[in-house]
Amino acid sequence: MDVAQRKSGAFTVSNGTNEGYSIVDRWALNFNNGQAGAITFEHSTDAPHGFGRSMKMQCSTATTTFTTHHYAEFRQRIEGQNIHHIAYGTSSAKQMTLSWYMKAVSHNNPICVRVRTLDGTMEYYAKSYTPTTDWARYTCTIPASTSATIDNDNGAGFEVSFVLAVGSGSTGIQTGDSTSWTTTRINGLNDTANFLDS
């Protein structure tokens, strides 16, 4: 979260306004399928020990309205050529571990960490994590997929998402953490709290 070449200061993101790669490099906020609500973003010096910056998010326009494929996520899409070495789609496919730091001032409810392949047939894997009020490190072990394919090119091949809000009106809600990759769409988990509710 150190590099933020696009904008400085705090600003508000909502559907169609400032979405995409807007502050920290390669990280985007997506209000999927016209999701309502808004989040104010800030490149912050409040960070865990050993890090210079973090991304601060705060709900600025609340909503409880969710319909088909409505959700809000903070995501990074990785070029296929930068992750092709995990050998997905082969017998040599590798397990991965994703780690990150987070904390919450008042949102002490689960968020969904979702990864998916973007080449060929999409595959999904998602787990639930609950932030605390202090900086803490979280890890997610992602199993190998011998069936997913990731092209060796500069197109988007893999996506890491922190799903902040999804509601019962949205489709693609999975019950419980993933235990393996699936081709069934996952927008969020059934315990994913609504970051946009207040």
Side-chain angles (χ1 to χ4, degrees):
M1 303 300 169
D2 275 344
V3 182
Q5 303 178 82
R6 298 170 188 271
K7 293 192 179 186
S8 60
F11 71 107
T12 300
V13 181
S14 61
N15 178 56
T17 303
N18 296 322
E19 277 188 286
Y21 299 116
S22 50
I23 300 187
V24 295
D25 283 17
R26 308 318 305 159
W27 285 94
L29 185 65
N30 173 46
F31 283 74
N32 199 67
N33 203 40
Q35 172 63 49
I39 295 175
T40 297
F41 273 92
E42 185 176 355
H43 194 218
S44 175
T45 56
D46 178 9
H49 295 302
F51 293 85
R53 298 274 183 170
S54 68
M55 174 56 70
K56 180 180 178 181
M57 293 177 258
Q58 182 174 356
C59 174
S60 55
T61 301
T63 184
T64 56
T65 302
F66 293 86
T67 59
T68 304
H69 298 319
H70 271 182
Y71 59 90
E73 64 180 343
F74 185 52
R75 73 183 185 197
Q76 180 175 143
R77 287 185 166 175
I78 302 169
E79 291 182 9
Q81 62 194 3
N82 291 336
I83 201 166
H84 195 251
H85 61 279
I86 64 173
Y88 273 24
T90 75
S91 59
S92 300
K94 298 174 179 66
Q95 174 181 286
M96 294 183 287
T97 300
L98 170 69
S99 66
W100 70 98
Y101 288 84
M102 68 177 171
K103 74 171 185 176
V105 174
S106 60
H107 184 80
N108 301 325
N109 298 302
I111 64 166
C112 170
V113 175
R114 182 193 68 186
V115 293
R116 65 175 172 167
T117 59
L118 296 172
D119 288 327
T121 302
M122 286 187 186
E123 293 194 3
Y124 299 80
Y125 185 85
K127 295 186 84 170
S128 178
Y129 295 87
T130 302
T132 64
T133 55
D134 295 311
W135 286 112
R137 184 180 182 185
Y138 299 80
T139 60
C140 177
T141 300
I142 303 164
S145 174
T146 57
S147 54
T149 56
I150 297 176
D151 296 335
N152 189 16
D153 59 20
N154 65 357
F158 194 85
E159 182 181 86
V160 177
S161 295
F162 295 87
V163 180
L164 304 171
V166 65
S168 58
S170 178
T171 55
I173 297 178
Q174 176 177 279
T175 299
D177 290 345
S178 295
T179 56
S180 61
W181 285 92
T182 179
T183 56
T184 301
R185 180 172 178 148
I186 301 174
N187 290 338
L189 299 175
N190 64 318
D191 69 346
T192 304
N194 179 14
F195 185 83
L196 295 168
D197 69 356
S198 173

